[in-house]
Structures are given as structure tokens and as C-alpha cells.
Amino acid sequence: MTTVGTTQTRQGLDSRFAALSRLVELGPGRVDPKLLAESGQLLLRAGDRLKLSSDHTVVALAGGTGSGKSTLFNSISGLELSPTGVRRPTTARTHACVWGLDGAGPLLDWLQIQWRHRFARASALDKGESQLHGLILLDLPDHDSIRALTDTEADRLIQIADLVVWVLDPQKYADASTHRRYVTDLAGHEAVMVFVLNQADRLEPEELAECVADLDGLLRREGVGTPVIVPTSAITGKGVDNLKAVLAETVAGRRAAIQRLEADLDRLTLRLTKAMPVGGVPAPSPSIDDARRIGLTDALCDAVGVPAVGEAMENVYGVRSVEWVGWPYTRWAAKLRPDPLNSLRLGDLKEEIRGLAGGSVSAQSAEVDNAVQALADGLTSGMHEAWQSGIRESARSRSAQLPQVLSEELSEVAPRLDRVPGWWRLLFVWQYLLVLLFLAGLAWFGTALAFGVFGLGKLPAGLAMFGEAASLPWVGLMMLSVLGLGLLTAVASRNFVALDAGNERDRLEREMRRRVAKVAEEMVIEPVERELTRYNEFYSAMRGVQG
């Protein structure tokens, strides 16, 4: 059952660390760099420790000067392995005693224990020591010594040991250097911490019980939920067997390494969750909905003046058509008035349209920014401030180039306003044919009036019919018919021109809108969707880290 439980715990831990790895990938720019750095260090440490021997448990004896840590180390090992002293710390480098050396080498190398400070106990041959098989016991340098100010070996090993045994003495068990620097910081690690109240031989039973109770209360106030406190005397041996029993139980479980990593991960997760709360986090779709896409396109079309371009094109189209399909007599009369095109300053019509599309970039930039900002604001409601900034930054990542790109796109589809449709040319020929017919009728009418009514002379025999007075009503009727037909043609042409201009405007605006939507997709929506995907993956990783 223990093996099955350990395997399941290991699988769950692997899954959480995989989520933490993903979180480290997604966190830059959104999470405190210090937290990300600590997460990366924990990932490296976990990866290294889980690859090394799972049959060995690393137990570190940590304590301050004069706590009797080295004496306790020798008492547990049964050998004089670590030097002891009375007035000054004598443990300059970590000493290690290993019960069962096979497979422990790589782990000791990772712990950076020097070869001359490694000692082995063949526990299978030592009566009563077999229960400690797999134990690697470390005697750390005193964490409060002068040497510790420049040597971080004790700190390093306290951070990576599977189980930390804090060796305290009755005089300094509440010392701030231990509690503030380590115990408070490791709150929540009670499963992988043991507290030894050493030098118990110096106290009366009542005094010892009072010290244990006081230490228990102090530890609970510091966040250690159920502290394990073992009174010992390294000199007399009292309580050492009890400590060995605690160590033997830890070694037999083969779970201390995983429990230590779990505790470190839990502590880091708590800090991450405080920085990036998960509860109630909205989960927006990584794809922007159609309504927001249409809204952005509409706003950008207004920002670059698509309706104005379409209206200008329609108006200019109508003005130009007068030159080709209008009633010629009206055009000739208009020659006497100022040119409407000149009054509109539309000499180069295509450039004028392009100017409308790309005019004042500085003025358009503000409108473009407003459109992009409105999209980002609509997506970030309820998000953490860091992610709100991220969405806005993504939306605005190419906003500086956006007005120019939009103007260039619209310039490419600006219509050729100097283009003359074929039916305009046909109507032009038809109208002038009617003009010629009218002029011919006018000449006939004048000839008949001059020679047939006023008798000014006699026409040659071949032209005599043009001088007959009887033809006047018919010629007059023909002239009126030509005028009516020309006027009817002009009116109908104007209607067709208006219809065609409206269709051209619709076509132009559809094409311009399509291009604006394409630019918005590439320069605004795609970066935002990438950030939304990152957001969702980040919080999925956060939930995975929580387990």
C-alpha cells in the first residue's frame, strides 16, 4: 500500500511540476521575476533530486553554535566522525554518515559533500542499525557562526535536505537567528522538520517539560502545525534512541524526498496564488467573438474615413458623368459658368480620393488608438492588472504602423475616376447624333421658310423638296421629336448614372471594409488572441500547480 501510495504521490507531484514548468514559460512580464526565478530553481532542484537515489533519505542536522549538533551526530552514528568543541564552532565543512553506501555516490556529489568528509556505516552488519539503512545523515556548519556570514553551505543544504532536524539547546531554543531566518520561512514543512531539544540532561524533569511546552507553543505560533519535538542528551545518550526511531520511520517510508518537494511546492504555490489569485478568474475564449471583430472593423473604417471616401467617389462619379451622358445643350450652357470640378479642387481625382483615405495620419492615430483601446477594455474586465496590461500591450503592439498600413491598403483600391464606362461613350455618340439631326432639321426648316414661304429664289431640281413650304410642319415635328428624345435620353442616363454610382460606392466600401478587416485581423486581433491563449494556459497551469 505504501508503494502504491508513494507512486501515486510521485505521479501527482510530477504533474504539478510539469504545470509549474509551463507557468514559468508563460509568466515573464506578468509574474514577479523573483517568484519566477524561485520557481525555476525549484524545478531544477526537483528534477535533480527525483533523478537521484530514491532509496536514500537525506537528513540534515542544523543548529546554532553550542547546540551540541556535532556531538549528537556522533552519538547517532556511534562513531567520532565530526569534531566537537566547547568555545567555538568546529564544524567548518559538512560531514556525512551513510547507512548503505550503494547508490549514494551521485546523491552525495549533488549535495557537494567532499570525499574526505564522507563516512559509511554497513548497517546490515551493525546490530540494531538495519532500520536506518538508506539514511544519509549530515552534520551542517553552524548557521550563526562568523564563517556562515560568508559561507552559505548550511543555507544551501537546509534548502535541499529531505528532512531537517533542528538541534536546539535550552538556553537558545527561541533564538531569532533560527526562527526568523529558517523556521518561519519553512512554515508548512512540518512533515519534513523535526525539532530536537538537546542537552536535556541540564534540566530537571519539570523544567524540561516546561521548555518543551514553550517551544511547542512558539513553533505553532510561527506556523508549524504539529511540531515533532524530541528531547535528547547527546552526552548521556538520553532520548537518542527516540530520535533514531523518528529517523528510522522516515527512512522506512521512502517519502521524505517527495514530501520535502511537495512542501516547497506548496509554499511556492501559496505565494504565486497570492500574487495571481486563481479564484473567480474569468476564462475568456481565446478567439475574439464576431461582434467584437465587427465593432473593431466599424471603428477603424470610421477612423480612416471609409464612408467619406465612398461618398466622395459617388459624388465625383456623378459630376464626371455630365461630360459624357448629360444633355449637350446643358453642358454648353455650363461652359459659361465656372467649372464645378475646379471649384471642388478635384483636378487629380484619384489622388484626391487617396488623400481622403490617408489624409492626416496624426488625426487618425487617435481614432485608431481609441478603437483598439475599446476592444482591449471589453476583453479585460475582471482580469488581474498584469494581464489587463498584457492584453492592452498586445492590442497596441502595432498601433504605430496601423494608420499607415490602412492608408496604403485603401490607396490600392482607390477607384480610377478617370475611367469612362463604355455605355457612357455610346450615349455620348447617341446624344451628338441627335444634335446633328436637330441641326439638320433646323437647316431644312430655314431653307423651306426662305424658299417656300418668302420666295427668295429657286433651289436646284435635286434639292427642291427642301424648299417646299408644305414640309415645314413635318420638319418642325421632327425637330421637336429629336429634342424630346435627347431630353428623355439625358434624364434616363442620369438615373442610370446615379444607380451605377451607388453600386460602385457599395462595391468600393465592401472592398475597403474587407481590407480594413484583414489589417485588423493581422495587426490587432491575432496578437490579442495569442495573449488570451497565453492567459488561459497560464491559469490552467496555476490550477495544475495547485493540484
Side-chain angles (χ1 to χ4, degrees):
M1 291 295 292
T2 301
T3 302
V4 173
T6 302
T7 301
Q8 292 175 343
T9 301
R10 171 66 183 271
Q11 291 174 346
L13 188 62
D14 288 344
S15 175
R16 292 180 66 191
F17 274 117
L20 181 63
S21 177
R22 184 63 179 147
L23 190 148
V24 170
E25 293 177 12
L26 298 168
R30 305 291 173 264
V31 181
D32 183 356
K34 183 179 178 181
L35 274 177
L36 289 180
E38 291 184 21
S39 300
Q41 292 169 2
L42 178 58
L43 283 169
L44 290 175
R45 177 156 57 86
D48 291 340
R49 182 63 185 94
L50 293 174
K51 287 188 295 186
L52 296 170
S53 175
S54 60
D55 294 328
H56 289 85
T57 301
V58 179
V59 177
L61 297 181
T65 305
S67 63
K69 173 173 50 62
S70 296
T71 304
L72 185 61
F73 176 82
N74 293 333
S75 180
I76 295 172
S77 64
L79 301 170
E80 291 293 326
L81 302 179
S82 187
T84 61
V86 177
R87 295 190 177 182
R88 60 184 179 84
T90 57
T91 307
R93 289 298 173 191
T94 301
H95 292 67
C97 183
V98 184
W99 281 258
L101 193 58
D102 291 343
L107 183 53
L108 290 168
D109 292 339
W110 180 66
L111 293 170
Q112 300 178 24
I113 307 300
Q114 297 177 1
W115 277 94
R116 65 178 182 273
H117 295 147
R118 301 179 185 181
F119 307 96
R121 288 295 304 267
S123 60
L125 303 178
D126 290 337
K127 184 178 180 180
E129 294 293 317
S130 60
Q131 74 271 20
L132 295 179
H133 185 79
L135 172 63
I136 298 179
L137 186 65
L138 305 180
D139 180 20
L140 305 186
D142 301 330
H143 64 74
D144 58 353
S145 67
I146 296 176
R147 183 184 182 89
L149 297 177
T150 56
D151 189 343
T152 59
E153 182 170 356
D155 287 345
R156 178 179 61 82
L157 290 171
I158 288 171
Q159 294 298 322
I160 64 178
D162 300 334
L163 176 71
V164 179
V165 177
W166 294 101
V167 182
L168 309 173
D169 66 83
Q171 288 76 31
K172 297 191 298 182
Y173 66 82
D175 184 55
S177 65
T178 298
H179 290 269
R180 291 181 182 175
R181 286 182 58 190
Y182 300 105
V183 177
T184 301
D185 192 50
L186 294 174
H189 287 59
E190 54 262 25
V192 289
M193 284 197 299
V194 173
F195 298 88
V196 171
L197 188 61
N198 198 23
Q199 303 176 11
D201 56 296
R202 296 183 179 183
L203 301 174
E204 296 297 328
E206 296 80 5
E207 294 175 328
L208 179 60
E210 184 179 345
C211 283
V212 170
D214 187 50
L215 177 59
D216 181 82
L218 175 62
L219 293 173
R220 290 179 185 275
R221 288 192 299 272
E222 291 175 340
V224 182
T226 54
V228 177
I229 302 175
V230 183
T232 64
S233 173
I235 294 177
T236 65
K238 180 181 179 181
V240 173
D241 288 341
N242 293 337
L243 179 58
K244 284 185 177 181
V246 173
L247 298 182
E249 182 180 358
T250 300
V251 171
R254 299 287 190 269
R255 296 188 68 249
I258 292 178
Q259 286 179 322
R260 174 59 194 267
L261 292 175
E262 278 185 325
D264 289 341
L265 183 56
D266 288 343
R267 174 172 166 269
L268 182 63
T269 300
L270 181 61
R271 295 173 61 198
L272 285 168
T273 304
K274 286 182 178 179
M276 287 284 177
V278 178
V281 170
S285 170
S287 298
I288 295 177
D289 58 89
D290 291 340
R292 286 193 171 94
R293 290 172 186 267
I294 293 172
L296 177 62
T297 301
D298 289 342
L300 290 178
C301 285
D302 291 339
V304 296
V306 168
V309 174
E311 183 179 1
M313 186 281 300
E314 185 176 20
N315 292 337
V316 173
Y317 192 92
V319 172
R320 283 192 55 82
S321 69
V322 174
E323 300 177 358
W324 292 89
V325 301
W327 187 223
Y329 307 107
T330 304
R331 288 202 303 274
W332 294 335
K335 295 289 186 181
L336 302 176
R337 299 193 302 269
D339 189 348
L341 292 180
N342 291 335
S343 67
L344 291 174
R345 295 184 295 107
L346 296 176
D348 188 340
L349 298 172
K350 185 175 181 180
E351 289 303 317
E352 183 70 14
I353 291 295
R354 288 184 175 180
L356 288 171
S360 178
V361 175
S362 60
Q364 291 174 352
S365 294
E367 297 180 16
V368 169
D369 285 346
N370 289 338
V372 173
Q373 185 70 34
L375 174 72
D377 290 343
L379 293 168
T380 56
S381 177
M383 287 187 180
H384 187 279
E385 183 179 350
W387 288 101
Q388 287 183 351
S389 298
I391 297 294
R392 294 190 186 103
E393 289 171 5
S394 298
R396 296 168 59 89
S397 60
R398 301 182 66 185
S399 60
Q401 299 84 28
L402 192 54
Q404 180 181 354
V405 173
L406 287 170
S407 296
E408 291 174 354
E409 284 289 330
L410 299 190
S411 295
E412 290 182 7
V413 297
R416 286 187 55 200
L417 296 180
D418 56 350
R419 178 180 63 88
V420 179
W423 67 276
W424 284 17
R425 297 181 186 276
L426 290 176
L427 281 174
F428 184 84
V429 172
W430 168 252
Q431 289 281 25
Y432 275 90
L433 178 60
L434 292 179
V435 169
L436 290 177
L437 287 175
F438 180 79
L439 293 176
L442 185 61
W444 190 346
F445 190 87
T447 301
L449 188 63
F451 291 95
V453 176
F454 297 105
L456 296 180
K458 189 175 181 179
L459 291 171
L463 300 176
M465 62 174 295
F466 294 106
E468 295 178 359
S471 65
L472 286 174
W474 300 105
V475 173
L477 180 61
M478 181 196 72
M479 293 174 61
L480 290 176
S481 298
V482 168
L483 287 174
L485 186 57
L487 183 59
L488 180 62
T489 300
V491 172
S493 299
R494 294 297 296 169
N495 291 334
F496 282 116
V497 165
L499 179 62
D500 197 31
N503 292 336
E504 282 292 311
R505 175 179 179 174
D506 291 342
R507 183 202 62 78
L508 174 64
E509 291 187 357
R510 282 197 303 270
E511 177 61 18
M512 295 173 77
R513 183 180 178 83
R514 184 189 68 81
R515 294 201 175 214
V516 168
K518 179 183 177 183
V519 171
E521 179 75 22
E522 295 175 354
M523 301 184 69
V524 180
I525 292 177
E526 288 181 2
V528 170
E529 287 185 338
R530 285 195 295 269
E531 188 66 13
L532 288 173
T533 299
R534 179 185 174 190
Y535 173 86
N536 285 331
E537 291 180 356
F538 176 87
Y539 277 101
S540 176
M542 284 285 290
R543 294 182 182 94
V545 170
Q546 289 179 324

